[in-house]
Amino acid sequence: MKRSTALSLPNLLTYGRCLAVPAVVVLLFWPNESWARWWALGIFVAAAITDYFDGWLARAWNQQSALGRMLDPIADKLLVAAVLMMLVAHETIAGWNIWAAIVILLREILVSGLREFLAELKVSVPVSRVAKYKTTLQLVALGFLVAGPAGDQVFAWTTVTGLVLLWAAALLTLWTGWDYMRAGLRYLVED
């Protein structure tokens, strides 16, 4: 009899990433408090690290599961979307920089919808290497921006670095979004 992987370490890491989302959001309700920014950053970094290890461990230990394949991208999108919204709400991301956040959010919605549609057709769209780089760049950019003003007290260019990296992530987001769309277009026009 096959053992359930619902409580495997890779899935537990993914659950932890889901639980980190409200913790980071709550801490970002005090955007002008350095202690809140540092705690939010610590939780965010821990969650971002689990994004790498949950998949790696699942493959290494042969503990891949349907639950993990479904929940992992959801956990990523929840973390990124919630942090982007909080950073925009408290104007760490403001002005024209909001467009980078919008591009990232729109791509996530587009790709999720496309994946759902293609899944109904039994078509798998594997995650590309560039998409993995995009996710890493997003998480690094958001880490700088979560530190924000508290980070600027230690390294004066923390927020600026985060914004530059956010735009780089937005450009990669456009590229990977187009890749996914192009891969799915032939199935969309066949109908």
Side-chain angles (χ1 to χ4, degrees):
M1 179 165 38
K2 188 171 178 183
R3 208 171 121 210
S4 171
T5 57
L7 294 178
S8 66
L9 181 57
N11 282 343
L12 291 174
L13 292 174
T14 303
Y15 304 150
R17 193 160 65 257
C18 290
L19 293 173
V21 173
V24 172
V25 166
V26 165
L27 288 165
L28 288 177
F29 269 104
W30 294 282
N32 299 322
E33 298 291 335
S34 289
W35 65 267
R37 288 281 188 156
W38 290 119
W39 274 100
L41 178 63
I43 295 168
F44 180 83
V45 168
I49 289 169
T50 68
D51 182 38
Y52 171 77
F53 281 109
D54 62 1
W56 184 80
L57 289 172
R59 287 185 296 278
W61 295 347
N62 197 26
Q63 292 183 344
Q64 293 170 302
S65 66
L67 177 64
R69 283 189 297 277
M70 186 258 325
L71 197 56
D72 180 61
I74 291 172
D76 297 343
K77 287 167 183 42
L78 289 174
L79 183 64
V80 168
V83 169
L84 281 171
M85 288 193 305
M86 291 304 293
L87 294 172
V88 168
H90 295 296
E91 298 181 354
T92 302
I93 300 173
W96 286 99
N97 296 313
I98 293 173
W99 282 104
I102 290 170
V103 164
I104 290 168
L105 289 174
L106 291 178
R107 183 264 188 202
E108 297 304 337
I109 293 166
L110 173 77
V111 169
S112 293
L114 181 62
R115 282 180 176 274
E116 186 176 328
F117 171 76
L118 293 174
E120 290 175 11
L121 301 176
K122 307 282 192 255
V123 175
S124 174
V125 182
V127 177
S128 69
R129 184 174 300 281
V130 177
K132 290 182 181 186
Y133 295 150
K134 180 262 322 167
T135 300
T136 301
L137 191 55
Q138 275 180 5
L139 294 173
V140 171
L142 290 177
F144 275 96
L145 293 170
V146 166
D152 288 335
Q153 294 172 1
V154 176
F155 170 64
W157 297 91
T158 299
T159 301
V160 171
T161 301
L163 292 171
V164 168
L165 292 174
L166 187 69
W167 276 103
L171 291 174
L172 272 182
T173 293
L174 286 172
W175 180 7
T176 60
W178 172 247
D179 276 351
Y180 281 117
M181 197 64 191
R182 196 178 65 224
L185 265 176
R186 69 171 181 242
Y187 299 100
L188 292 170
V189 296
E190 280 179 3
D191 225 5

